[in-house]
Amino acid sequence: MEKLTQLVSMLPLFFLLLPSLSFAGGHDYGQALSKSIMFFEAQRSGYLPHNQRVSWRSHSGLQDGKASGVDLVGGYYDAGDNVKFGLPMAFTVTMMSWSIIEYGKQMASSGELGHAMEAVKWGTDYFIKAHPQPNLLYGEVGDGNTDHKCWQRPEDMTTDRRAYKVDPSNPGSDLAGETAAAMAAASIVFRRSNPAYSRELLRHAYELFDFADKYRGKYDSSITVAQKYYRSISGYNDELLWAAAWLYQASNNQYYLDYLGRNGDSMGGTGWQMTEFSWDVKYPGVQTLVAKFLMQGKAGVHAPVFEKYLQRSEYFMCSCIGKGTRNIQKTPGGLIYRQRWNNLQFATSSSFLATVYSDYLASSGRNLKCASGNVPSSQLLSFAKSQVDYILGDNPRATSYMVGYGNNYPQRVHHRGSSIVSIKANPNFVSCNGGYATWFSSKKSNTNILTGAIVGGPDAYDDFADERKNYEQTEPATYNNAPLIGVLARLSGGHGGYNQLLPVAEPVRKPVVTKQHSFTKPKTIPSPASWSGPISIQQKMTSSWVANGRTYYRYSTIVTNKSTKNLKSLNLSISKLYGPIWGLTKFGDSYTFPAWINSLSAGKSLEFVYIHSTTPADVSVANYSLA
């Protein structure tokens, strides 16, 4: 667990083209993925299920919420202690869900999708309990002050298990907003496999967003015991935008897209230029999602504002790969570095954003535009791979910072349950002081292996001390692992078939083998025109691929001003379009120039592209004016 975060700012940027990578390397990303998901089972609170794989854990926290008259049994311990902190738990569930939404197919092929979905549901089941009324949310069980005076396994807890809440009189927009984001993202994960549960999650997300937006305030001003551990330094505007973005993705409800457009400037979405993405600072995540909506052609009248979101997203991406105006610091061994305390959380979250944005760019055929010039999207994926490889052992100490992966990993992890003998092996009660005297102070390796845990990691010089008391470096956290499972799934899945701008396809829990159908390749034909005039329209199919037994086509459309005058305005009519489009701005029922073009000079052309699974759309000129 931890505190902090800093905010930074600087300049803007914008976008363009390209490819994918194949990953031959020394690491078994599939094995790392399996282990990283298993870690969440070690963090479970409540009644453990029969299929629990981490066998040294048992039931715990079975009276949680009882004193407040509510059932708060379940959920996750955030790190090496026994407190349930709502803000990092919700961020963890959001990032696990995002990982599945983007790379569920790859998880399915490696047999891990079911485990990943169970990990999400363990969190969302708890959030449903924690949200018993529309404007009430329980945001913490236990408190760090009493917990940190005690070194006990969860099964023996004697510490205070008080429940803390936010409500209209004691608001918590950041906490409620992040929980709304988690519920909305998870509703996408379960949309196909459990539609009733998906609808229930979305209902909670709607209510939580309304609560967060109507009764505004920082949660740590209401739940003051959280200030020392998970203080909301960035405030709540980023969580409100983050929740709106996830609600739009989950519901396709125009209200949330309008919210992003109307509030982007005033709430910092288009202003903050960040080099950090974390449980506290959501701005780069918001900016990345909104950039995706823009590339999908969904921005409509908000395109100029969404362009600014995209520029801020690319500022973050360029800073990660060292090609921006303000780059993220790196250790001599190449790991991005922000702080000594649990630095690896930033490496995993940044790697995830870089991975998905690389695929967004590649799907749209664009490059990343940095201060140093255009950069192929593949460089973002290479950056993410470098961070993952460092974590898995390619570093100056040849240490794997994932427990249980490789031959040289941390042995004295700062984690109560892992360090103390399992209650199943020795049911004798372990007291607070007894735990410190016998287990915390021991120089021996932890009794139980905390498989898959990503610890805090090395310092600015790649140094690391494997000591239980060194919590800054040896304590794990759920939000370290959550973004990493998406990157590992991407790396384990190879280099083909990533078209992230297609409509969200909910993952199928078990891999489905489909017969490949034969498809008639669409002909390259000019768009039908219902009139003759000085503007020509030429379409061609530039690529195709098969996904889930269906063939998709990418069409490029060139619009040329063949007159001798300046084309001042243009409205295109597009019918029979069944997929995303980008390079134009939607205006009512027609399309007009993109935000970065005001007019088209004589003899000049503009290009827009779209993807769908059939023959070309019908494109024609509705009206135009020449200067």
Side-chain angles (χ1 to χ4, degrees), residues 30 119 127 150 154 207-208 226 259 280 289 309 365 378 382 388 393 469 474 476 478 489 518 524 529 532 543 577:
F127 292 144
C150 214
E207 291 180 352
L208 284 163
Y259 188 96
D280 181 29
L289 282 174
Y309 277 102
S378 57
S382 295
V388 171
K469 65 181 180 181
T474 64
T478 55
S518 58
T524 300
S532 60
S543 64
L577 175 65

Side-chain angles (χ1 to χ4, degrees), residues 604-624:
K604 297 295 184 181
S605 302
L606 70 83
E607 179 186 22
F608 67 89
V609 295
Y610 59 91
I611 293 173
H612 64 192
S613 58
T614 184
T615 51
D618 291 343
V619 182
S620 62
V621 176
N623 57 66
Y624 68 96

Side-chain angles (χ1 to χ4, degrees), residues 91-113:
F91 178 69
T92 293
V93 171
T94 307
M95 295 308 297
M96 283 197 289
S97 297
W98 196 359
S99 294
I100 293 170
I101 290 165
E102 300 286 355
Y103 304 115
K105 178 182 175 184
Q106 290 70 36
M107 293 181 195
S109 65
S110 62
E112 290 300 326
L113 179 59

Side-chain angles (χ1 to χ4, degrees), residues 565-620:
K565 297 180 179 180
N566 200 32
L567 182 62
K568 281 184 65 178
S569 67
L570 173 68
N571 286 92
L572 296 175
S573 173
I574 305 178
S575 60
K576 299 180 183 176
L577 175 65
Y578 309 107
I581 183 171
W582 51 97
L584 294 175
T585 298
K586 190 163 187 182
F587 187 76
D589 294 329
S590 63
Y591 294 82
T592 186
F593 291 132
W596 56 91
I597 295 178
N598 295 321
S599 62
L600 202 60
S601 302
K604 297 295 184 181
S605 302
L606 70 83
E607 179 186 22
F608 67 89
V609 295
Y610 59 91
I611 293 173
H612 64 192
S613 58
T614 184
T615 51
D618 291 343
V619 182
S620 62

Side-chain angles (χ1 to χ4, degrees), residues 176-457:
E178 181 60 67
T179 311
M183 301 294 246
S187 76
I188 300 171
V189 170
F190 294 103
R191 188 179 291 160
R192 187 185 300 183
S193 62
N194 193 341
Y197 187 66
S198 174
R199 288 191 296 272
E200 183 180 11
L201 294 177
L202 194 55
R203 177 180 64 81
H204 281 279
Y206 285 138
E207 291 180 352
L208 284 163
F209 179 82
D210 290 344
F211 170 42
D213 196 34
K214 184 176 180 180
Y215 301 100
R216 295 192 182 187
K218 280 178 52 175
Y219 95 104
D220 56 19
S221 296
S222 300
I223 304 177
T224 55
V225 292
Q227 288 182 2
K228 190 177 175 183
Y229 306 98
Y230 289 102
R231 186 169 191 163
S232 180
I233 295 175
S234 71
Y236 53 77
N237 282 337
D238 52 338
E239 277 86 7
L240 289 175
L241 294 171
W242 177 239
W246 277 112
L247 275 161
Y248 176 68
Q249 177 134 313
S251 67
N252 209 30
N253 187 320
Q254 185 69 27
Y255 173 82
Y256 299 101
L257 194 75
D258 292 342
Y259 188 96
L260 292 164
R262 289 195 318 269
N263 297 293
D265 293 341
S266 63
M267 296 176 71
T270 63
W272 283 110
Q273 298 184 118
M274 310 302 302
T275 56
E276 174 189 327
F277 177 52
S278 67
W279 59 263
D280 181 29
V281 182
K282 314 295 162 50
Y283 283 114
V286 176
Q287 291 154 355
T288 299
L289 282 174
V290 175
K292 177 186 182 183
F293 301 154
L294 180 68
M295 292 184 209
Q296 289 176 313
K298 295 179 176 179
V301 296
H302 301 299
V305 176
F306 282 19
E307 284 289 345
K308 290 193 282 184
Y309 277 102
L310 180 142
Q311 291 163 9
R312 300 305 184 260
S313 176
E314 299 214 335
Y315 178 94
F316 176 88
M317 303 301 164
C318 295
S319 74
C320 288
I321 60 176
K323 295 184 182 293
T325 53
R326 186 182 185 281
N327 297 319
I328 296 177
Q329 178 186 345
K330 291 182 179 164
T331 68
L335 179 72
I336 66 171
Y337 185 81
R338 287 200 62 84
Q339 66 193 36
R340 179 179 167 85
W341 190 323
N342 192 15
N343 181 65
L344 285 184
Q345 64 174 304
F346 305 111
T348 60
S349 59
S350 298
S351 296
F352 180 84
L353 285 190
T355 298
V356 295
Y357 201 72
S358 172
D359 284 338
Y360 295 165
L361 289 173
S363 299
S364 65
R366 298 177 184 273
N367 282 336
L368 174 67
K369 189 173 181 182
C370 294
S372 61
N374 285 351
V375 179
S377 62
S378 57
Q379 288 197 20
L380 284 172
L381 203 50
S382 295
F383 158 76
K385 182 177 182 295
S386 74
Q387 300 302 293
V388 171
D389 288 348
Y390 184 108
I391 291 169
L392 296 181
D394 292 357
N395 55 65
R397 297 184 81 259
T399 295
S400 165
Y401 294 106
M402 176 184 284
V403 178
Y405 180 90
N407 298 317
N408 180 26
Y409 53 82
Q411 302 292 317
R412 286 162 283 279
V413 181
H414 183 93
H415 188 275
R416 287 158 176 75
S418 172
S419 66
I420 301 173
V421 64
S422 169
I423 197 168
K424 295 179 179 179
N426 184 348
N428 291 332
F429 175 75
V430 176
S431 68
C432 290
N433 293 334
Y436 270 114
T438 304
W439 301 102
F440 178 78
S441 60
S442 171
K443 304 297 182 187
K444 295 180 180 178
S445 298
N446 282 13
T447 307
N448 309 299
I449 297 176
L450 193 62
T451 300
I454 303 297
V455 298

